[in-house]
Amino acid sequence: MALENTNFIKACYGKNDGSIPIWIMRQAGRYLPEYLEVRSKATFKELCQSPELIAEVVKQPIDRFNLDAAILFSDILTFLDPLGAEVTFPDKGGPKITDPIETPDDIDKLHKFDIEKELHFALDGIKEIKKVLPNKPLIGFAGSPFTISCYLIEGQGSKSFDKPKKFIHQYPDDSARLFELLADITAEYLSTQIDAGADTVQLFGSWDGILSRDDFYEYTVKPANRIFRKLKDKNVPRIMFVNNLAPYVDLVNEIDCEVVGVDYRMDINYAAKVLTNKSVQGNLDPSILFGSPEHVQEKAVKQLESFENLDRLIFNLGHGIQPKTPIESVETLVKTVQNFR
Ligand code: 1CP
């Protein structure tokens, strides 16, 4: 496997003896003036569909901060169009699904598709990134089936996603069908990302943390295993991120993956104890970056010093970086982590 001697890949396998790797969820994005500059000339969809622009915005945070991993620029919802559910990204208010799923019959509108053909822009984007960043581990990604179903069924972002939560109980058999379809397409999509050059893949369970434990087992753990087991023989680290991990951390230990992304609410040392033989990634609260550089440094050092097994730590924020985050704070954070040992 390529880049196996980088601190990031070594840390994924719990064998890092170098500096602590750091990357930042949503590191290419609206807090960077150079990203806003590119975005002022292209819509979000145009940006996601241009391999050259993808490579440009992926490189921006690496050039600025020398982060230890790059992440593909795309969105967890870009595969919904070819799946049969049109998605738009208006400039205000977040993504919208034109015809959300309301009844089991609506699931029939969704179908498998030729990934290499319909999502070639993301795969070409990966190849383009590899040309400009040949020595950086590249993270491919997809949304977890439950998080995708949240948008498919609710039709847009929400705080509580009541519609998908009810749907899985109103229509359990049809939900099983929907989740199998989503898991199989996601596995295939991640597999093609790896074939195109991604060195690792992350599944974003951004909304899975609203489920009851029983439902989490059914709609997060089982589909994640269905996806990750299909990727096992690719021999790249597989990362599962769960926002609001704490109530389910023992269940997540049953997921067949190498790394678990931990959100900012939870003690990452406690997570690492429960997650036997897995590496952990996280989990500084993104709002800390709005404090002074001294404050950022103090908080980062406190967390690093508290960590019991640095060989299996990938430093990250405990969720995506926010727009308007001060650039100096990010610089301070990255330097503090990379100089820690
Ligand atoms: O105006 C713009 O520039 C669009 C804003 C934006 C960006 C920069 C969207 C729309 N998506 C993205 C890129 C993106 N999305 C990336 C690549 C960038 C990087 O990480 O460097 C990734 C990994 C995502 C993943 C994503 N999209 C998630 C999971 C991550 C998380 O934060 O938990 C989710 C939930 C989405 C949906 C989505 N797409 C865009 C927005 C604004 C949202 C969130 C909407 C909501 O809160 O419901």
Side-chain angles (χ1 to χ4, degrees):
M1 186 194 28
L3 305 182
E4 60 195 3
N5 287 324
T6 57
N7 61 351
F8 174 81
I9 298 289
K10 281 175 153 179
C12 288
Y13 291 110
K15 295 195 166 122
N16 179 34
D17 51 7
S19 65
I20 312 299
I22 173 169
W23 69 279
I24 293 174
M25 280 196 280
R26 313 292 286 262
Q27 64 193 25
R30 288 168 293 176
Y31 72 106
L32 284 179
E34 56 270 37
Y35 171 82
L36 293 173
E37 172 69 31
V38 173
R39 259 295 265 125
S40 71
K41 297 183 198 121
T43 65
F44 181 66
K45 256 194 182 169
E46 284 165 354
L47 177 46
C48 289
Q49 295 185 352
S50 158
E52 289 74 28
L53 291 181
I54 291 174
E56 186 178 338
V57 298
V58 167
K59 197 164 171 284
Q60 288 172 346
I62 308 290
D63 286 347
R64 232 188 220 275
F65 309 117
N66 193 26
L67 295 151
D68 295 292
I71 177 162
L72 169 65
F73 191 88
S74 187
D75 193 80
I76 59 166
L77 304 177
T78 46
F79 84 135
L80 293 185
D81 281 336
L83 183 68
E86 188 191 53
V87 58
T88 55
F89 295 90
D91 277 336
K92 286 227 155 58
K96 286 215 162 38
I97 310 301
T98 311
D99 292 309
I101 292 178
E102 287 172 359
T103 65
D105 284 350
D106 293 335
I107 298 172
D108 299 333
K109 292 187 291 192
L110 307 180
H111 49 79
K112 292 202 170 162
F113 56 91
D114 182 344
I115 291 180
E116 312 246 356
K117 187 160 155 248
E118 305 288 344
L119 296 172
H120 64 90
F121 46 84
L123 306 173
D124 291 344
I126 290 175
K127 291 175 193 154
E128 209 55 41
I129 297 164
K130 280 288 154 188
K131 283 188 208 156
V132 294
L133 294 170
N135 300 319
K136 274 294 162 198
L138 175 63
I139 303 164
F141 70 89
S144 72
F146 182 73
T147 290
I148 295 297
S149 82
C150 279
Y151 289 95
L152 272 176
I153 297 170
E154 192 80 33
Q156 59 187 28
S158 157
K159 284 211 160 34
S160 52
F161 287 103
D162 293 335
K163 286 181 187 168
K165 283 196 70 177
K166 289 176 192 162
F167 190 93
I168 55 179
H169 292 285
Q170 286 169 308
Y171 312 110
D173 294 343
D174 296 289
S175 295
R177 182 160 74 89
L178 172 64
F179 276 73
E180 270 178 26
L181 175 70
L182 290 176
D184 288 348
I185 291 170
T186 302
E188 214 183 312
Y189 184 33
L190 291 175
S191 170
T192 57
Q193 290 185 34
I194 296 166
D195 292 345
D199 301 285
T200 170
V201 287
Q202 172 157 318
L203 208 50
F204 280 94
S206 303
W207 297 112
D208 298 45
I210 62 172
L211 291 167
S212 69
R213 275 175 59 90
D214 268 2
D215 290 344
F216 188 90
Y217 191 79
E218 193 61 32
Y219 296 106
T220 299
V221 176
K222 282 191 186 169
N225 273 332
R226 191 173 168 108
I227 294 167
F228 283 144
R229 286 186 178 139
K230 291 188 185 201
L231 302 174
K232 200 177 181 84
D233 63 4
K234 296 270 173 195
N235 287 319
V236 304
R238 300 157 299 169
I239 309 172
M240 180 74 206
F241 168 70
V242 177
N243 189 21
N244 194 24
L245 176 68
Y248 326 95
V249 62
D250 55 321
L251 303 178
V252 170
N253 196 33
E254 292 180 37
I255 295 178
D256 192 347
C257 64
E258 284 67 36
V259 185
V260 172
V262 183
D263 67 281
Y264 58 87
R265 299 169 189 82
M266 182 173 194
D267 183 305
I268 195 167
N269 262 310
Y270 178 69
K273 281 201 186 87
V274 180
L275 297 163
T276 45
N277 298 317
K278 295 193 201 302
S279 293
V280 288
Q281 174 176 280
N283 75 341
L284 198 79
D285 188 336
S287 49
I288 287 175
L289 295 178
F290 288 85
S292 67
E294 296 74 31
H295 183 73
V296 171
Q297 185 176 18
E298 193 186 311
K299 290 285 190 185
V301 167
K302 184 176 170 212
Q303 186 164 332
L304 285 160
E305 279 175 345
S306 78
F307 207 74
E308 284 160 27
N309 185 351
L310 290 169
D311 300 358
R312 59 168 171 141
L313 173 66
I314 297 156
F315 205 98
N316 204 317
L317 300 182
H319 203 184
I321 189 165
Q322 295 178 25
K324 302 205 169 72
T325 297
I327 303 279
E328 319 80 75
S329 297
V330 184
E331 282 167 354
T332 303
L333 174 66
V334 175
K335 287 202 182 104
T336 304
V337 174
Q338 289 176 337
N339 292 333
F340 186 71
R341 75 164 191 191

